[in-house]
């Protein structure tokens, strides 16, 4: 870990070396400072170029060192800001050669240089907000001075990463090159020796403010509050930019530091940084047979097929095409094919437009083509097939049997089921080892999560191929084991049930949603159910004989097999209320397919009548209790999933929830949240709930939770070791 120097003519090239992303650890900063001071004093050096080793400028401050830092002492000792200051004040021109990435502190360092040259494929951004922080090394003061308040506000408060061609257009970098950015930077450095530098120092630039800057900042806070419910860092970023607007540079830097420190040790920052590393750790899957992400070799997918062009199939086809994969989309009848192809084409057109706007018409790789067909034989050359028909085991088995005979040997067969048995589907094929579950989330071309469901026979090749594909699709893949509903939906079920029980007990959909949305969820359980479609769960409950014609005569209305059951969602579906798709569900919508949920007097009246008919007494439940009543059973199910070896660690569950279920990232995920509030609290409340509701089995505390509390609630990173091999199926 160091900053290395070599001399090219009269130019000193300083290379940041700290693999894999040249993070600016405290040691790297000390080393950078020493080398910078050394070359500024060296009379033979006339200009300086700063770059990163292995084609990466820098991924920013070393996040791993944050938890080991005592901000009171360490910050006084030295900080990246001091390094930036030395670079900026240098009387010799300093040119940043940005290759790969310049993120967070990496970009802040580049902003302190007098010139910035970027490779055309480089990407830059101030991503700290996503780690629950703000740019703390001058980024909030320099970027608005360089590119103006509105553009800087957008980048800093969203953590957006922009490609070099956009960065040059915005004015973040001076020019881009398709050749070596370092060579170009050396060339520029030689050219500008002796030229005045004052106008190149961003700290000296006056800030250009739009006349309405105050309302711009205030409006941004309101918008961010809605978009990132309960998250502090986005709000504090705006305040740091306000300091840039109102204060001279030096005072702005002091304010930025003060605001940075207010976030640095917060629970939210810890949660976001945990979420960052959790995502990296789940990519490192392993199986009981010893196969893992390192040993298995993924196959490249050039041609993929999608079977079924409903909402999921459309999104999957778009997702593949966006990753430059050639797609064959198959439907069973002309009408469905036409409907599906129109939808896919329309989404692809929108996505192309977005891409062009984002990349500012810089030449970029085009999307893969999508061929629409009714002919199953067109699949014979596909490298991978994703079946995305509706949830019906018999239909899926029929399709997989056909795929077995049509697809080339070695083709991977995936099913986009959201909970059916992968092994049963694989059993009808000639290649169970090449069958796997790929559970996408709707809309599949936008949602980040891919639950990769390993069947009993799934080979390490198919696991690694699909995990690799998830990266290619810009998604986060998480390997889980095969069980009914897999991980995400298995945890969702008790959460939704608990929410519905609250309606029986006297609460309204609006009250329950409000509590969960204030907690930080993008949508409360009822708004979310309306979006997903109430009919999906209804059909599966009918299939299982819990409601509808298969229900045994004489079954009590509010119980099934001795367990509490609420028929409320079934009754809504019987009334044709399927959610947004029918214009009414738990809420009413302006039109069929409308998005704006409004209170529906029909629902309120219906709930009132239902309670009266069943003589249910209203219970007084506080907002805090609503939260615990809904979340703790979800967390409890998470512990049961770990106990059963369905997920290999708490991080896997958290990554699934953060990326697929709208869990607020600044709360880390359900398992991290449990560790933050304390396992004893979760256990005590579950015990109390279960005692009062013995007919709700999901309230019965899991053995793992009890065992962890008994052991004094070890930190989350130690839970995995408690699981032990015999239980772990992954
Ligand atoms: C960089 C990426 C885009 C690379 O993506 P890719 O897909 O290629 O690879 P991975 O994501 O799998 O990453 C590979 C590997 O690298 C690890 N890693 C990545 N980034 C960092 C990092 N910044 N620090 C440490 N480790 C990192 C990653 O974990 C993988 O390793 P693993 O073993 O897990 O496989 C992508 O990785 C990415 O987006 N990275 C994050 C970029 C980012 O958000 N950077 C901002 C960091 S925060 C920051 O820069 C703050 C600044 O404003 C400086 C503030 C200074 C304030 C002073 C007071 C602070 C108190 C004192 C603290 C001491 C530190 C200091 O002063 O600097």
């Amino acid at each position: 870990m160091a900053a290395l120097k070599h001399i090219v003519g009269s130019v000193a090239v300083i290379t940041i070396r700290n693999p894999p992303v040249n993070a600016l650890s405290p040691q790297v900063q000390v080393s950078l400072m020493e080398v910078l001071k050394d070359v500024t004093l060296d009379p033979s050096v006339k200009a300086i170029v700063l770059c990163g080793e292995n084609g990466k400028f820098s991924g920013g401050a070393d996040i791993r060192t944050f938890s080991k830092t005592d901000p009171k002492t360490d910050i006084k000792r030295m900080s990246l800001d001091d390094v930036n200051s030395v670079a900026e004040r240098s009387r010799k021109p300093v040119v940043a050669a940005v290759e790969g990435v310049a993120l967070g502190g990496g970009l802040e360092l580049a902003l302190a240089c007098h010139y910035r040259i970027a490779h055309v494929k480089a990407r830059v951004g101030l991503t700290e907000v996503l780690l629950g922080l703000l740019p703390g090394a001058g980024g909030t003061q320099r970027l608005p001075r360089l590119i103006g308040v509105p553009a800087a506000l957008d980048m800093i408060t969203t953590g957006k990463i922009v490609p070099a061609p956009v960065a040059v257009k915005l004015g973040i970098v001076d020019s881009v090159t398709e050749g070596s950015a370092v060579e170009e930077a050396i060339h520029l450095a030689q050219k500008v020796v002796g030229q005045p530098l004052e106008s190149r120092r961003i700290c000296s630039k006056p800030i250009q403010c739009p006349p309405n800057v105050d309302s711009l900042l205030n409006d941004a806070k309101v918008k961010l509050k809605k978009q990132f419910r309960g998250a502090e860092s986005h709000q504090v970023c705006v305040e740091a930019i306000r300091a840039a607007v109102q204060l001279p540079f030096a005072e702005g830097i002091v304010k930025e530091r003060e605001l940075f420190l207010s976030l640095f040790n917060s629970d939210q920052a810890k949660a976001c940084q945990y979420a960052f590393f959790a995502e990296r750790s789940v990519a490192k899957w392993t199986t009981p047979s010893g196969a893992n992400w390192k040993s298995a070799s993924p196959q490249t997918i050039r041609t993929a097929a999608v079977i079924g062009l409903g909402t999921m199939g459309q999104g999957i086809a778009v997702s593949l095409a966006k990753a430059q994969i050639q797609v064959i989309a198959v439907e069973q009848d002309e009408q469905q094919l036409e409907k599906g192809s129109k939808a896919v084409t329309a989404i692809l057109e929108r996505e192309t437009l977005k891409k062009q706007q984002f990349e500012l018409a810089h030449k970029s790789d085009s999307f893969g083509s999508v061929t629409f067909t009714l002919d199953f034989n067109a699949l014979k050359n596909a490298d991978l097939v994703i079946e995305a028909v509706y949830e019906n085991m018999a239909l899926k088995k029929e399709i997989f049997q056909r795929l077995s005979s049509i697809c080339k040997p070695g083709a991977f067969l995936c099913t986009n089921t959201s909970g059916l048995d992968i092994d049963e589907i694989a059993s009808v094929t000639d290649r169970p080892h090449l069958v796997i579950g790929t559970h996408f989330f709707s809309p599949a071309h936008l949602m980040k999560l891919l639950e990769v469901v390993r069947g009993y026979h799934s080979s390490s090749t198919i696991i690694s191929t699909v995990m690799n594909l998830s990266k290619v699709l810009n998604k986060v893949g998480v390997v889980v084991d095969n069980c009914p509903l897999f991980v995400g939906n298995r945890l969702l079920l008790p959460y939704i049930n608990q929410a519905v029980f609250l309606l029986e007990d006297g609460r309204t959909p609006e009250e329950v949603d409000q509590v969960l949305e204030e907690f930080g969820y993008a949508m409360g359980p009822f708004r979310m159910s309306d979006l997903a479609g109430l009919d999906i769960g209804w059909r599966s409950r009918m299939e299982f004989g819990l409601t509808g014609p298969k229900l045994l005569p004489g079954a009590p209305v509010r119980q099934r097999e001795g367990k509490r059951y609420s028929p409320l969602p079934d009754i809504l579906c019987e009334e044709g209320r399927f959610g947004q798709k029918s214009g009414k569900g738990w809420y009413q919508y302006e039109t069929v397919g409308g998005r704006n949920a409004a209170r529906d007097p029909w629902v309120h009246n219906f709930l009132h009548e239902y309670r009266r008919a069943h003589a249910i007494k209203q219970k007084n439940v506080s907002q805090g209790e609503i939260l615990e009543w809904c979340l703790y059973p979800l967390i409890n199910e998470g512990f049961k999933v770990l106990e059963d070896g369905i997920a290999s660690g708490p991080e896997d569950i958290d990554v699934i929830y953060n990326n697929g279920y709208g869990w607020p990232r600044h709360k880390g995920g359900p398992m991290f949240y449990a560790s933050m509030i304390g396992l004893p609290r979760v256990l005590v409340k579950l015990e109390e709930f279960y005692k009062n509701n013995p007919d709700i089995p999901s309230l019965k505390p899991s053995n793992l939770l009890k065992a962890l509390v008994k052991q004094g609630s070890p930190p989350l990173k130690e839970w995995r070791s408690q699981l032990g091999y015999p239980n772990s199926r992954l």
Side-chain angles (χ1 to χ4, degrees):
M1 278 198 266
L4 309 173
K5 168 187 88 170
H6 76 276
I7 305 289
V8 181
S10 58
V11 179
V13 180
I14 302 177
T15 307
I16 306 163
R17 174 198 275 181
N18 186 11
V21 299
N22 297 323
L24 301 165
S25 66
Q27 286 109 305
V28 170
Q29 291 174 32
V30 169
S31 172
L32 249 179
M33 184 69 117
E34 277 168 7
V35 181
L36 260 176
K37 282 188 175 160
D38 173 38
V39 296
T40 40
L41 292 174
D42 182 344
S44 70
V45 171
K46 303 288 180 224
I48 301 158
V49 164
L50 255 179
C51 62
E53 199 178 51
N54 287 332
K56 284 181 192 135
F57 188 76
S58 170
D62 192 336
I63 311 164
R64 286 188 201 279
T65 64
F66 285 0
S67 54
K68 299 170 194 130
T69 302
D70 174 1
K72 286 193 199 83
T73 52
D74 289 3
I75 288 165
K76 278 187 208 115
R77 208 177 54 215
M78 228 269 293
S79 89
L80 185 56
D81 210 32
D82 299 324
V83 180
N84 292 348
S85 210
V86 168
E88 193 168 47
R89 279 191 280 107
S90 161
R91 290 170 183 212
K92 301 172 182 178
V94 185
V95 184
V98 178
E99 294 178 319
V101 285
L103 300 179
L107 179 57
E108 291 177 291
L109 176 61
L111 291 175
C113 298
H114 306 119
Y115 298 90
R116 285 158 294 282
I117 305 284
H119 185 263
V120 70
K121 296 258 182 211
R123 295 175 300 141
V124 305
L126 292 177
T127 43
E128 289 88 341
V129 72
L130 304 174
L131 299 168
L133 300 171
L134 57 78
T140 65
Q141 306 304 300
R142 286 192 182 88
L143 195 63
R145 283 178 164 78
L146 184 64
I147 66 172
V149 176
L153 185 66
D154 177 42
M155 282 192 70
I156 293 171
T157 58
T158 60
K160 189 182 274 177
I161 297 176
V162 298
V166 178
V168 82
K169 193 98 179 177
L170 285 170
I172 300 175
V173 299
D174 299 297
S175 64
V176 291
T177 174
E178 300 203 4
S180 155
V182 179
E183 293 298 320
E184 196 81 15
I186 294 172
H187 183 69
L188 176 70
Q190 282 161 339
K191 210 169 93 184
V192 297
V193 168
Q195 289 187 10
L197 286 175
E198 194 51 18
S199 68
R200 301 297 314 176
R201 293 191 178 103
I202 299 175
C203 66
S204 313
K205 278 188 191 293
I207 192 154
Q208 302 290 340
C209 285
N212 57 346
V213 68
D214 253 347
S215 48
L216 179 79
L217 297 173
N218 294 341
D219 292 352
K221 282 185 90 167
V222 173
K223 193 172 144 219
L224 291 162
K225 198 169 182 175
K226 236 176 139 183
Q227 197 179 349
F228 304 97
R229 291 169 200 275
E232 290 160 9
S233 57
H234 306 266
Q235 300 292 315
V236 183
C237 279
V238 179
E239 288 314 314
I241 297 168
R242 201 189 295 279
V245 167
Q246 294 176 342
L247 302 172
F249 182 81
E251 289 174 40
I253 286 283
V254 173
K255 185 71 186 172
E256 180 194 81
R257 172 58 48 95
E258 182 192 307
L259 294 170
F260 181 88
L261 289 179
S262 72
L263 297 173
F264 190 68
N265 273 330
S266 67
D267 285 350
Q268 293 201 0
K270 284 188 191 117
C272 292
Q273 288 158 33
Y274 159 81
F276 174 84
F277 287 116
E279 266 167 35
R280 268 98 201 135
S281 92
V282 302
K284 296 170 183 162
W285 56 272
T286 184
T287 67
S289 63
N292 61 37
W293 64 287
K294 266 193 199 153
S295 62
S297 37
Q299 310 273 303
T300 305
I301 303 302
R302 292 195 176 80
T303 306
V306 180
I307 302 177
L309 282 179
T311 313
M312 287 310 295
Q314 292 164 17
I316 296 169
V318 171
S319 198
L320 292 162
K322 276 173 68 182
Q324 279 104 43
I325 293 171
Q326 306 305 319
V327 184
I328 307 158
V330 189
E331 252 300 349
Q332 57 173 354
D333 70 57
E334 199 75 60
Q335 216 185 346
Q336 294 299 328
L337 188 72
E338 198 186 322
K339 197 172 154 207
S341 73
K342 270 192 188 148
V344 169
T345 311
I347 307 173
L348 275 173
E349 274 168 12
R350 281 202 303 272
E351 290 294 309
T352 309
L353 206 67
K354 265 203 268 178
K355 189 172 152 85
Q356 280 167 351
Q357 278 167 354
F358 186 60
E359 294 179 4
L360 298 175
H362 181 81
K363 74 171 187 279
S364 60
D365 307 319
S366 56
F367 292 161
S369 66
V370 187
T371 315
F372 300 95
T373 179
L374 293 173
D375 181 10
F376 249 70
N377 288 317
L379 305 182
K380 64 177 188 291
N381 290 323
D383 301 321
L384 176 140
V385 180
I386 302 175
E387 163 278 307
V389 302
Y390 64 89
E391 291 290 72
N392 178 295
M393 181 55 93
L395 177 62
K396 289 192 190 264
K397 280 164 91 170
E398 188 193 315
I399 290 172
F400 273 77
Q401 221 160 12
R402 281 181 84 182
L403 290 176
S404 260
S405 56
I406 291 169
C407 293
K408 65 182 180 191
F412 302 105
L413 309 182
C414 312
T415 169
N416 177 50
T417 172
S418 51
L420 296 179
D421 185 357
I422 306 297
D423 293 333
E424 189 173 343
I425 297 171
S427 71
V428 299
T429 70
D430 61 347
R431 60 191 91 182
H433 64 296
L434 297 185
V435 177
I436 204 162
T438 45
H439 182 200
F440 287 80
F441 290 72
S442 184
H445 61 292
L446 299 178
M447 291 292 285
K448 290 290 269 184
L449 180 64
L450 182 64
E451 222 179 358
V452 177
V453 191
R454 169 184 170 266
Y456 184 77
H457 295 287
S458 304
S459 69
S460 55
T461 307
I462 189 168
I463 300 174
S464 65
T465 299
V466 170
M467 284 298 278
N468 193 51
L469 180 67
S470 72
K471 254 201 143 172
V472 173
L473 301 184
N474 194 22
K475 296 196 183 297
V476 182
V478 184
V479 180
V480 301
D481 213 347
N482 183 25
C483 75
L485 300 179
F486 315 139
V487 173
N489 286 344
R490 184 169 152 181
L491 270 67
L492 189 69
L493 194 64
Y495 166 76
I496 298 287
N497 284 343
Q498 293 290 103
V500 175
F501 294 151
L502 284 169
L503 301 188
E504 292 199 331
D505 294 342
R507 305 277 62 84
T508 65
E510 292 82 2
E511 283 171 328
V512 179
D513 278 351
Q514 193 192 341
V515 170
L516 273 308
E517 285 164 16
E518 275 171 12
F519 171 75
Y521 260 109
M523 274 183 215
F526 296 106
R527 249 182 252 277
M528 192 196 66
S529 303
D530 271 2
L531 172 72
L534 301 179
D535 53 323
I536 299 170
W538 182 47
R539 281 181 217 293
S540 117
R541 290 192 294 278
M542 280 204 274
E543 185 127 322
F544 285 107
L546 296 172
T547 190
K550 283 193 198 162
L551 182 62
L552 292 178
V557 183
R558 298 181 57 225
Q559 281 216 325
R560 296 288 180 272
E561 295 157 1
K563 298 174 208 155
R564 183 166 173 187
Y565 180 87
S566 172
L568 287 174
D570 301 335
I571 304 173
L572 252 62
C573 288
E574 284 157 16
E575 293 285 330
R577 303 181 71 102
F578 297 155
Q580 290 186 2
K581 64 173 82 164
S582 61
K584 53 194 179 174
W586 295 110
Y587 293 89
Q588 58 180 331
Y589 297 84
E590 66 282 17
T591 52
V592 168
R595 301 265 146 163
N596 298 316
R599 180 182 184 277
D600 190 342
W602 184 93
V603 172
H604 285 248
N605 189 43
F606 157 68
L607 290 174
H608 178 77
E609 284 304 315
Y610 174 88
R611 287 182 212 117
R612 202 177 52 80
H614 294 281
I616 304 172
K617 269 213 242 135
Q618 291 225 13
K619 284 185 194 152
N620 263 339
V621 191
S622 70
Q623 297 208 337
E625 266 178 327
I626 292 180
L627 192 68
E628 294 187 314
W629 172 259
C630 292
L631 292 187
Y632 290 1
L634 180 155
I635 291 166
N636 195 33
E637 197 62 38
F639 281 112
K640 291 178 185 171
V641 155
L642 291 176
E643 238 173 79
D644 294 349
I646 299 298
S648 48
E651 296 87 353
D652 303 62
I653 297 174
D654 286 337
V655 171
I656 287 173
Y657 261 71
N658 291 338
N659 291 286
Y661 290 84
W663 182 278
R665 201 176 166 82
H666 61 271
K667 294 225 161 75
M671 309 317 282
F672 180 84
Y673 178 68
S675 75
M676 289 303 268
I677 47 182
L679 300 188
R681 166 80 191 169
V682 180
L683 179 59
V684 165
K685 282 309 285 185
L686 280 168
E687 278 169 344
E688 180 192 315
F689 289 151
Y690 187 51
K691 194 167 151 231
N692 297 332
N693 303 272
D695 57 350
I696 308 181
S698 57
L699 296 174
K700 185 175 179 192
S702 89
N703 291 333
L704 177 61
L705 172 61
K706 286 197 279 195
L708 288 169
V709 171
K710 209 167 169 187
Q711 286 162 36
S713 306
L716 180 144
K717 58 177 184 286
E718 287 171 26
W719 298 358
R720 204 180 275 252
S721 62
Q722 297 297 316
L723 301 175
Y725 182 74
N727 271 344
S728 179
R729 296 167 59 187
L730 279 173

